[in-house]
Amino acid sequence: MIFTIFKKKEKQILEQDASQNIEKKTWFQKLKERLGLSSLIFHKIFNIFSSSGDINYDEFETLLLETDMDYDLTRMLIEKVKDLSKTQSITQNDVKDLMKSFMIEILESNHKVFDLDQYANEKKVIMFCGINGSGKTTSIAKIASLYKNKFKTLMICCDTFRAAASAQLSFWAKSLEIDFFDGGLSENQDGKVLSPSTVAYKGLDLNENNELFLIDTSGRLTTNQNLMQELKAIDRVLKKKNASYPQESILVLDGTMGQNLHNQVEAFKEVTNLTGLIVTKLDGISRGGIIVSLSHKHKLPIYFIGIGEKESDINFFSSEEFVNGLLDS
Ligand SMILES: Nc1nc2c(ncn2[C@@H]2O[C@H](COP(=O)(O)OP(=O)(O)OP(=O)(O)O)[C@@H](O)[C@H]2O)c(=O)[nH]1
Ligand SMILES: [Mg+2]
């Protein structure tokens, strides 16, 4: 009898392990496939080292810059390869291994896992910001789908001047079966529109049982001072509720914009205390090196990357998985 129970338990564990492995493999396979375009430039780099002749460092530098790793990182890598070349002739695999460990080390030194469990006995308030079309609303939907079975979640739309913004978030909320609040914008009959900070404030009080608040803000150009100040106002109002809110203030960046993203990080840092980054659209024409460059320059964790438009196209960022996916695809 005991033996039968034990066998049953063992079978369950094995099945669980197997399904976890399949899940893991599927995500990594998907990551590799989607990073395919980003990784093309890295293949060109490895080709420089395909023959045993002299290394063309000019070409190496040009291609490294094209990956969207910035000048500092490019120089650091070149020096590492030069040092290694003093002791041995360098193969494609050597340079790949060297680049992998270099990139992983930088990402890891600034990494922090996105962990909502650390805010155990408090409401968890996350504010998302970024320029127009960077992927904020889609990222919120993805994160909501990760947590909806764990925390009672409310999506708050603070983009009160654009009815389409409210419609987009409310569409996601409906399809994910999550509560949604836009200050009444969608049913607005008398033309009154609440300010974004009022919507955020009211949203926090909507239902005592809500545990996770995902605050969507409107896209804003960093040069528009009024809109940048508006973000500061939302931040201030949240802090009036509780000095620790928002516990996470996440900047969402469109990965295809390359080195321009550094200015965006600097500008948003001025108006909110950024805690981490999401870089989207890495399944497109972006160059994966921007992830390492952002991490290195701003010392901020990459919480998630976007590799698609569906809610399932998300997983917690792993430096090793990302770098292997990028350089091995
Ligand atoms: N391929 C791809 N498309 C994405 C990704 N993330 C978002 N998108 C698409 O990018 C477009 C803009 O995304 P949104 O989530 O609406 O961006 P937003 O920042 O909320 O935009 P605004 O609210 O207008 O500022 C949509 O068509 C999304 O489907 C991604 O990781 N990969
Ligand atoms: Mg949006």
Side-chain angles (χ1 to χ4, degrees):
M1 175 68 174
I2 290 176
F3 182 71
T4 318
I5 293 171
F6 177 74
K7 270 286 165 208
K8 209 171 158 190
K9 185 83 195 150
E10 191 185 40
K11 191 166 171 269
Q12 272 173 1
I13 292 170
L14 284 176
E15 279 170 1
Q16 208 179 349
D17 279 349
S19 72
Q20 275 167 3
N21 279 338
I22 289 167
E23 191 47 45
K24 231 178 170 180
K25 191 173 172 201
T26 310
W27 170 254
F28 186 61
Q29 281 307 122
K30 184 154 102 175
L31 183 74
K32 264 174 84 164
E33 281 165 25
R34 304 274 173 98
L35 291 175
L37 276 180
S38 292
S39 69
L40 286 177
I41 194 76
F42 289 94
H43 287 278
K44 281 195 189 169
I45 291 176
F46 303 144
N47 283 340
I48 300 179
F49 298 84
S50 61
S51 62
S52 52
D54 284 346
I55 301 165
N56 184 338
Y57 282 105
D58 286 343
E59 193 185 356
F60 187 37
E61 181 179 280
T62 308
L63 290 174
L64 280 174
L65 289 170
E66 277 185 39
T67 68
D68 261 333
M69 271 196 273
D70 52 75
Y71 188 72
D72 289 351
L73 294 183
T74 296
R75 288 310 315 170
M76 283 158 78
L77 251 173
I78 290 173
E79 287 313 312
K80 280 188 183 286
V81 172
K82 279 187 173 167
D83 282 350
L84 188 65
S85 73
K86 284 177 194 154
T87 57
Q88 62 177 81
S89 65
I90 299 180
T91 64
Q92 281 195 351
N93 277 344
D94 294 332
V95 83
K96 192 191 262 195
D97 288 347
L98 192 144
M99 282 179 70
K100 275 186 182 177
S101 53
F102 176 76
M103 291 163 82
I104 290 170
E105 195 183 319
I106 288 173
L107 287 167
E108 275 304 295
S109 62
N110 302 302
H111 189 53
K112 207 176 93 190
V113 177
F114 184 73
D115 172 26
L116 292 181
D117 288 332
Q118 64 184 301
Y119 314 118
N121 297 316
E122 45 188 321
K123 292 181 173 183
K124 298 153 229 331
V125 180
I126 312 178
M127 184 169 80
F128 297 79
C129 57
I131 69 158
N132 310 66
S134 62
K136 297 174 291 298
T137 305
T138 313
S139 300
I140 287 173
K142 290 173 178 175
I143 291 175
S145 78
L146 273 184
Y147 285 101
K148 67 174 188 169
N149 294 328
K150 187 163 183 183
F151 302 121
K152 184 162 169 44
T153 303
L154 177 71
M155 287 174 162
I156 303 179
C157 174
C158 289
D159 192 347
T160 52
F161 294 101
R162 213 166 49 95
S166 163
Q168 187 190 3
L169 195 65
S170 117
F171 166 83
W172 275 115
K174 271 199 193 99
S175 71
L176 294 168
E177 298 178 328
I178 287 171
D179 289 338
F180 167 79
F181 180 68
D182 65 358
L185 179 69
S186 34
E187 306 100 49
N188 181 17
Q189 302 296 332
D190 56 8
K192 270 192 209 145
V193 176
L194 297 177
S195 73
S197 42
T198 308
V199 173
Y201 194 82
K202 285 182 174 238
L204 292 188
D205 284 339
L206 201 63
N207 177 344
E208 257 317 300
N209 294 327
N210 285 333
E211 297 168 286
L212 172 60
F213 300 82
L214 302 174
I215 301 181
D216 196 4
T217 63
S218 55
R220 61 201 73 228
L221 282 176
T222 54
T223 47
N224 185 325
Q225 278 311 312
N226 284 344
L227 285 180
M228 293 304 274
Q229 289 307 315
E230 178 194 271
L231 195 65
K232 217 173 183 172
I234 301 175
D235 199 76
R236 207 167 38 234
V237 156
L238 294 173
K239 284 190 170 40
K240 268 194 198 161
K241 277 267 177 238
N242 187 318
S244 66
Y245 296 166
Q247 291 96 336
E248 300 287 350
S249 184
I250 301 179
L251 178 61
V252 182
L253 300 164
D254 173 345
T256 63
M257 299 184 85
Q259 291 295 311
N260 284 330
L261 296 180
H262 293 300
N263 289 338
Q264 291 180 28
V265 180
E266 293 302 338
F268 278 94
K269 258 186 183 171
E270 300 266 312
V271 287
T272 175
N273 181 25
L274 291 180
T275 55
L277 305 175
I278 295 179
V279 186
T280 65
K281 308 185 192 179
L282 289 175
D283 51 320
I285 52 159
S286 64
R287 307 285 168 83
I290 189 63
I291 297 282
V292 189
S293 177
L294 284 165
S295 159
H296 180 62
K297 277 216 164 128
H298 307 287
K299 313 287 174 226
L300 280 167
I302 310 289
Y303 280 148
F304 300 98
I305 53 168
I307 56 161
E309 296 178 89
K310 290 200 197 126
E311 75 262 27
S312 55
D313 294 330
I314 192 167
N315 207 343
F316 295 91
F317 182 80
S318 146
S319 314
E320 206 164 320
E321 206 172 44
F322 170 73
V323 172
N324 286 335
L326 187 66
L327 271 58
D328 284 339
S329 25

